[in-house]
């Protein structure tokens, strides 16, 4: 399991920022402790560099996770749906323990993309 | 040092209690027990006693096959822990893969070595129309059910009248029902707690336990430690239920031409009897959505499903073609990776030779034997006629 780091969003929220910190994703997993090899869901909210919320209509999101030392990613492509001022992600599955890199890619209307990512050590 | 002293020192070392690190304990606690059998919303009769009784009759019925001599029990023999002890399965002719056990099959996420079925009832249907297995057809299956009074009565008790044999869509519905009944029976083939389970439960309660021998405890420490078996054989099923290409040499040598999961996944996504198909009782549910969303990546070429180790000691031979005859052979393969067949970028990249000594390998084997649970209830292991309480 992975216990998510605390943040202003909730006790169990992960924070992923882009390199230039122009975007930050706050990710709340359900269940709160990300399990090994069991499906889980995510709630994602985005803010810009000034902390202003980014609404789902402003960008489109893609979520992925890979194990860099194993040279493979998830076995499933997560399903994203818009949920109010954020996104609901289903079918996340980190099927092996170890180091994963979770990424959230935001595609802007002009076609440019911003990646937010962080390492997750899953046991 | 005298031989007697050496012997005393060895005994002392072997008798020293095993101390697990916090990380090892956390991994051990995930190894058991088996949870409640998961529900299957795609099969509305999965938990139905009458359906399971029908399924048990169907499982042992040989008349569906072309020769009248092959049943599910031919390759999944209850007397051999629901496998057959062969390298390759033999039905009406010889197949290309080893028969996996059906013990604890309800906990699987995918079915067959290549995962080409996404539900247990879909898996149960494949053999009927496989040339090497039953070499039969859905029409013949339903014809037999219609002609055998006890099968017809049992079928109609669960599903209502048999279909018009001229109506293809009705035939497929009834065929799906046959699979669902067999699955209802197979879901009950669950092993009882193992010595490993008892040890894990004691650990969870904070108690010492002698459920595992000293050798098995040392094996357990390797399993969740230096040998890192838990990476793929973790969780209550001692399997991640996913697919890996570990480069086991094919039977007969040479390079493997079996694409495994690569083609298996493609087949699962177009199967008319899939979890999201017209015969599923929950086509819009999680199971169907996950089949559609499964990624067909290059790493799946030549990959096969990680078998559960909960029955490893009673289901020889091993691997997808039964290439490895004994547990010792399996451990030797992982220990040296000698004869591993590499396919450039397709094989699992995290495997390295374990390079353990003979005693460590023997300890791992002791653990695998201790991980095997008790057989299912005896009334599930023989043909039943008429309705029987499970």
């Amino acid at each position: 399991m992975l216990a998510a780091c605390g943040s202003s969003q909730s006790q169990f929220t992960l924070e992923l920022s882009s390199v230039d910190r122009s975007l930050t994703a706050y990710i709340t997993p359900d269940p709160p402790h990300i399990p090994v090899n069991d499906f889980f869901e995510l709630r994602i909210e985005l803010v810009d560099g000034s902390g202003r919320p980014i609404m789902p209509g402003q960008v489109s999101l893609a979520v992925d996770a890979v194990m860099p030392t194993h040279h493979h990613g998830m076995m499933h492509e997560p399903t994203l749906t818009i949920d109010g001022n954020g996104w609901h992600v289903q079918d996340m599955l980190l099927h092996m323990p170890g180091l994963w890199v979770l990424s959230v890619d935001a595609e802007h209307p002009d076609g440019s993309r911003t990646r937010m990512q962080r390492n997750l050590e899953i046991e | 040092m005298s031989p007697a002293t050496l012997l005393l020192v060895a005994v002392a070392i072997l008798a020293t209690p095993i101390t697990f690190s916090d990380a090892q304990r956390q991994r051990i606690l995930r190894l058991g027990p088996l949870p409640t059998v998961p529900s299957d919303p795609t099969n509305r009769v999965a938990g139905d006693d009458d359906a399971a009784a029908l399924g048990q009759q169907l499982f042992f019925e040989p008349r569906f096959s072309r020769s009248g001599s092959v049943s599910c029990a031919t390759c999944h023999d209850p007397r051999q822990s629901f496998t057959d002890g062969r390298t390759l399965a033999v039905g009406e002719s010889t197949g290309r893969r080893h028969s996996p056990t059906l013990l604890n099959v309800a906990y699987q996420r995918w079915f067959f070595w290549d995962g080409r079925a996404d539900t247990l009832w879909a898996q149960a249907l494949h053999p009927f129309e496989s040339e090497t297995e039953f070499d039969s057809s859905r029409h013949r299956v339903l014809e037999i059910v219609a002609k055998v009074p006890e099968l017809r009565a049992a079928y109609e008790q669960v599903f209502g009248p048999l279909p018009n044999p001229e109506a293809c869509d009705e035939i497929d519905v009834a065929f799906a029902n046959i699979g669902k009944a067999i699955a209802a029976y197979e879901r009950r083939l669950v092993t009882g707690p193992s010595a490993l389970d008892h040890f894990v439960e004691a650990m969870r309660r904070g108690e010492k336990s002698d459920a595992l021998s000293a050798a098995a405890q040392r094996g357990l420490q390797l399993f969740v430690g230096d040998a890192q078996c838990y990476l793929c054989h973790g969780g209550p099923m001692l399997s991640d239920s996913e697919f890996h290409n570990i480069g086991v040499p094919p039977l007969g040598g040479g390079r493997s031409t079996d694409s495994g999961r690569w083609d298996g996944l493609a087949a699962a996504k177009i199967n008319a009897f899939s979890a999201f198909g017209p015969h599923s009782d929950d086509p819009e549910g999680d199971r169907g959505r996950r089949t559609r969303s499964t990624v067909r990546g290059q790493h799946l070429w030549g990959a096969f499903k990680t078998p559960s180790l909960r029955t490893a000691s009673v289901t020889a031979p091993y691997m997808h073609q039964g290439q490895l005859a004994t547990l010792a052979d399996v451990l030797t393969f992982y220990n040296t990776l000698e004869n591993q067949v590499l396919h450039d970028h397709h094989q699992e990249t995290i495997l390295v030779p374990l390079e353990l000594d003979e005693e460590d390998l023997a300890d791992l084997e002791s653990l695998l034997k201790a991980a095997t649970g008790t057989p299912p209830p005896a009334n599930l292991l023989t043909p039943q006629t008429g309705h029987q309480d499970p």
Side-chain angles (χ1 to χ4, degrees):
Chain A
M1 295 185 299
L2 169 72
C5 298
S7 79
S8 59
Q9 296 293 310
S10 82
Q11 186 180 0
F12 301 106
T13 298
L14 294 165
E15 185 179 312
L16 282 68
S17 290
S18 58
V19 171
D20 61 1
R21 302 199 72 84
S22 62
L23 281 184
T24 296
Y26 290 99
I27 299 181
T28 306
D30 178 19
H33 296 88
I34 295 177
V36 174
N37 200 26
D38 208 354
F39 287 97
F40 64 99
E41 300 181 351
L42 301 174
R43 161 93 184 150
I44 300 178
E45 293 178 11
L46 286 190
V47 298
D48 66 13
S50 301
R52 284 188 297 266
I54 302 291
M55 293 295 123
Q58 296 175 260
V59 296
S60 60
L61 284 195
V63 178
D64 198 5
V66 297
M67 293 192 89
T69 56
H70 293 201
H71 301 112
H72 66 72
M74 293 192 292
M75 295 295 184
H76 295 265
E77 186 174 347
T79 302
L80 275 76
T81 51
I82 293 173
D83 179 21
N85 62 343
W87 291 261
H88 178 220
V89 184
Q90 292 177 293
D91 302 330
M92 293 291 296
L93 180 72
L94 306 185
H95 64 284
M96 295 180 75
L99 174 66
W100 289 82
V101 178
L102 175 65
S103 62
V104 175
D105 289 340
E107 182 172 345
H108 303 274
D110 63 1
S112 64
R113 290 185 180 185
T114 303
R115 167 159 287 189
M116 297 149 277
Q117 69 180 42
R118 70 174 282 164
N119 292 352
L120 299 177
E121 192 72 41
I122 302 291
E123 261 291 354
Chain B
M1 200 181 284
S2 71
T5 304
L6 278 171
L7 179 61
L8 284 172
V9 169
V11 168
I13 290 172
L14 291 174
T16 302
I18 307 298
T19 302
F20 297 99
S21 68
D22 288 344
Q24 290 171 348
R25 289 172 62 85
Q26 186 177 354
R27 294 166 192 160
I28 290 170
L29 291 176
R30 288 192 60 242
L31 298 181
L34 276 177
T36 305
V37 172
S39 64
D40 181 4
T42 70
N43 178 1
R44 71 187 186 284
V45 299
D48 186 274
D49 291 346
D50 290 335
L54 167 62
Q56 190 165 353
Q57 292 183 61
L58 297 171
F59 188 88
F60 290 93
E61 177 54 66
R63 287 173 284 189
F64 298 136
S65 63
R66 173 176 52 77
S67 67
S69 64
V70 175
S71 70
C72 306
T74 302
C75 296
H76 300 288
D77 187 347
R79 298 166 299 183
Q80 298 194 77
S81 302
F82 287 89
T83 180
D84 58 10
R86 299 173 181 269
T87 49
L88 302 176
V90 176
E92 291 290 356
S93 57
T94 302
R96 60 181 183 140
R97 298 195 186 131
H98 170 59
S99 300
T101 182
L102 295 181
L103 291 174
N104 304 319
V105 70
Y107 293 92
Q108 298 280 354
R109 188 178 288 161
W110 299 94
F111 304 89
F112 292 109
W113 281 103
D114 58 13
R116 65 184 182 274
D118 60 357
T119 63
L120 186 52
W121 57 271
Q123 183 281 323
L125 295 175
H126 273 266
F128 290 121
E129 298 185 332
S130 159
E131 192 178 317
T132 60
E133 298 178 76
F134 284 63
D135 195 16
S136 185
S137 71
R138 63 197 68 179
H139 292 87
R140 176 173 174 81
V141 170
L142 292 168
E143 185 182 285
I144 298 293
V145 172
K147 285 182 178 174
V148 177
E150 58 266 30
L151 289 179
R152 183 178 193 126
Y155 177 94
E156 293 186 339
Q157 182 173 1
V158 179
F159 298 111
L162 278 165
N164 172 1
E166 304 301 317
C168 284
D169 55 343
E170 291 183 31
I171 291 288
D172 282 357
V173 170
F175 190 50
N177 289 339
I178 294 292
K180 291 174 182 177
I182 294 174
Y185 160 66
E186 291 175 339
R187 286 168 53 82
R188 298 175 181 217
L189 302 176
V190 179
T191 56
S194 63
L196 174 61
D197 286 324
H198 292 306
F199 185 85
V200 172
E201 282 311 293
M203 180 179 280
R204 202 183 310 280
R205 295 191 302 267
E207 299 169 1
K208 290 190 187 302
S209 170
D210 59 1
L212 289 184
S213 66
Q217 288 190 45
R218 291 192 301 270
L220 179 58
Q221 188 163 52
L222 288 165
F223 191 91
V224 296
D226 291 345
Q228 297 193 87
C229 311
Y230 74 97
L231 289 179
C232 297
H233 289 284
M237 274 289 280
L238 303 183
S239 162
D240 60 8
S241 300
E242 291 293 343
F243 301 83
H244 303 272
N245 182 344
I246 61 170
V248 177
L251 209 59
R255 288 174 67 84
S256 176
T257 57
D258 192 335
S259 61
R261 180 58 169 165
W262 174 254
D263 282 333
L265 179 56
K269 286 175 177 275
I270 62 171
N271 184 5
F273 297 95
S274 72
F276 61 88
H279 305 291
S280 168
D281 295 311
D282 187 31
E284 301 301 319
D286 289 345
R287 179 64 260 189
R289 187 184 64 247
R290 289 166 183 166
T291 298
R292 289 195 298 264
S293 72
T294 307
V295 177
R296 193 174 181 230
Q298 289 182 355
H299 64 284
L300 295 180
W301 199 98
F304 296 95
K305 191 172 63 178
T306 308
S308 168
L309 298 182
R310 276 195 168 264
T311 53
S313 70
V314 294
T315 53
Y318 305 98
M319 304 299 175
H320 64 281
Q321 288 187 305
Q323 300 98 310
L324 302 179
T326 66
L327 281 178
D329 291 338
V330 173
L331 293 168
T332 297
F333 172 77
Y334 281 106
N335 204 38
T336 64
L337 296 183
E338 188 178 342
N339 299 322
Q340 185 187 31
V341 176
L342 302 178
H343 289 277
D344 301 323
H345 52 279
H346 291 298
Q347 74 279 356
E348 187 58 69
T349 57
I350 61 171
L351 282 182
V352 295
L354 298 178
E355 296 182 340
L356 301 174
D357 62 30
E358 290 301 316
E359 185 182 300
D360 287 337
L361 295 178
D363 289 343
L364 276 171
E365 189 168 344
S366 294
L367 171 69
L368 293 179
K369 289 175 180 172
T372 299
T374 53
N379 65 305
L380 294 176
L381 307 184
T382 55
Q384 301 286 309
T385 53
H387 172 66
Q388 299 280 339
D389 289 329

